[in-house]
Amino acid sequence: MSQEKKNKIAVIGHTRGIGKAIADLYRRKKYEVVGLSRSTGYDLATDQEKIVSKIVDCEFIVINAFAGKGQYDLLKKIYSEYHHHYKKVVVITSTSGTPQGKDEDILSADYNDYCWHKEYLIQYVNDLQEELFNKPLSVYDVCPDVVDTDMIKGMWEGLPKLKTKEVADAVRYCLEAPFNINKIVIQKNAR
């Protein structure tokens, strides 16, 4: 009896927050989830080569974890290695990387570093999408506003927050739509 081939998705940063919601969603859809994070021995900041070798047979890839310029470096390596392969890559950016979304009242060096890296990543994804126009590799930008995760505890208390499941649904939409969606910016309704 032949065994049915199982679809595979790699989720970089899969143990908490947005990444966990994406991994859980695709497990429910019966995908094989390849979870890559520090807790499983894959540090986004230092292990790009190791990560790239683990995603070779994954149809979908989600770069979620934040580690300075780690998302950017990994995306560059994925492009270099797989630009002639049929793969779909979703990069989780942030509205904090846009002029409209950056909170100028927060003076923390960590927050400003986060914003700068997300801005740089957003620009790289835009440039890459033009480069990939006639190639089989597709790259999508899912750009959420404030998401209710441990990362933002104590911040933006008065603002409505997206649920991690809502971001996971936006990722699913990008990966499974029969057309390309270059970028989705998602914000929670105030009502």
Side-chain angles (χ1 to χ4, degrees), residues 45-64:
T46 59
D47 294 328
Q48 287 93 20
E49 292 292 335
K50 196 164 119 176
I51 292 169
V52 166
S53 71
K54 289 297 282 188
I55 63 174
V56 67
D57 59 347
C58 293
E59 171 187 9
F60 298 157
I61 302 155
V62 179
I63 306 174
N64 169 60

Side-chain angles (χ1 to χ4, degrees), residues 40 43 65 80 85 89-90 105 107 117 123 160:
T40 58
D43 188 324
S80 175
H85 294 81
V89 180
V90 172
D105 294 332
L107 303 177
H117 283 293
Q123 185 56 55

Side-chain angles (χ1 to χ4, degrees), residues 18 73 92 100 114:
I18 294 169
D73 289 341
I92 307 297
Q100 302 81 8
Y114 175 83

Side-chain angles (χ1 to χ4, degrees), residues 15-29:
T15 58
R16 297 182 323 196
I18 294 169
K20 182 177 184 325
I22 295 164
D24 290 348
L25 170 71
Y26 277 92
R27 280 188 191 100
R28 285 191 305 275
K29 291 175 67 59

Side-chain angles (χ1 to χ4, degrees), residues 122-138:
I122 289 167
Q123 185 56 55
Y124 180 62
V125 170
N126 287 339
D127 294 344
L128 201 54
Q129 287 170 337
E130 289 182 32
E131 176 71 26
L132 291 170
F133 185 72
N134 289 317
K135 294 189 170 117
L137 179 68
S138 298

